[in-house]
Amino acid sequence: MMKFMLKCFVLSSILLLGVLFGMQQANQGLVKMKGYEDPNLSSAFEVKNDSSGELEASVLGVSHNLEEKQEKLEEMEAFNFFSQLGKKFAALANAVITGFITFLAGLVESLFQ
C-alpha cells in the first residue's frame, strides 16, 4: 500500500510540474506572438526577493502567505452552519458505524464459541 501511495504521489507531482511547465511555455508563446511585453501577462511561476530579503513564490500570479491567511481566519471567527452540521453528521456516522462493527464482531464471536 505504501508503494502505491508513493507512486501516486510521484506521478501527481510529475504531472503538476508538467502542467506548470506547459503554462510557462504557453505564456512565452503568447509574448512572442504579441511581440512586446505586457505587464498584465504574468508568468505561471515566479520567485522574487521581497523587501525583507526573503524569497516569495507566486504560482499563477497569486502569492501565498499562509501565516497571514491563518491570522485573518482566526480574526474572522465566523460561524459556518454547514461546517458544524457536517461535523455533527460525521460524528453521528462514526458512532453508528462503530456500533454496527462492534455488534457484528460480537455476533461473529458468539458464533465461533
Side-chain angles (χ1 to χ4, degrees), residues 51-67:
S51 59
S52 64
E54 294 182 8
L55 291 176
E56 182 177 319
S58 65
V59 178
L60 301 176
V62 179
S63 177
H64 296 285
N65 189 344
L66 297 178
E67 294 170 355

Side-chain angles (χ1 to χ4, degrees), residues 66-83:
L66 297 178
E67 294 170 355
E68 288 179 8
K69 285 185 178 183
Q70 181 68 27
E71 290 174 6
K72 186 176 178 182
L73 286 174
E74 288 174 357
E75 288 175 6
M76 287 175 50
E77 296 180 12
F79 176 76
N80 188 345
F81 172 74
F82 293 108
S83 175

Side-chain angles (χ1 to χ4, degrees), residues 8-57:
C8 286
F9 176 74
V10 169
L11 183 62
S12 298
S13 299
I14 290 171
L15 291 174
L16 176 67
L17 291 175
V19 167
L20 287 175
F21 178 73
M23 293 176 101
Q24 186 70 28
Q25 293 299 326
N27 181 39
Q28 291 174 358
L30 286 172
V31 168
K32 287 180 185 176
M33 188 172 66
K34 277 188 168 187
Y36 62 93
E37 280 288 328
D38 186 3
N40 295 332
L41 192 63
S42 62
S43 64
F45 183 75
E46 293 178 317
V47 178
K48 300 177 189 174
N49 283 333
D50 62 358
S51 59
S52 64
E54 294 182 8
L55 291 176
E56 182 177 319

